[in-house]
Amino acid sequence: MANVLLIGATGFVGSAVLNELVERGHKVTAVVRNVEKIAKNDLVTAVKEV
């Protein structure tokens, strides 16, 4: 399990990458414009873009 920083996790490609990372058991910090768009998951931490 790796720690991954994913920028743009709510976009078309980013959301697919996020799902794949979570399925593989990686812990993801997702940088997004709107944190409400990220599904609740123990492996995902959403951070609002500044």
Side-chain angles (χ1 to χ4, degrees):
M1 174 169 67
N3 292 322
V4 179
L5 174 65
L6 179 61
I7 299 170
T10 56
F12 180 74
V13 174
S15 61
V17 172
L18 177 63
N19 290 335
E20 185 66 28
L21 289 168
V22 169
E23 285 180 16
R24 294 181 182 206
H26 298 293
K27 184 175 179 185
V28 181
T29 300
V31 179
V32 296
R33 292 182 195 165
N34 186 351
V35 295
E36 288 81 30
K37 288 187 176 182
I38 295 290
K40 302 286 188 237
N41 190 309
D42 291 338
L43 294 176
V44 178
T45 303
V47 177
K48 182 167 175 39
E49 178 183 59
V50 199

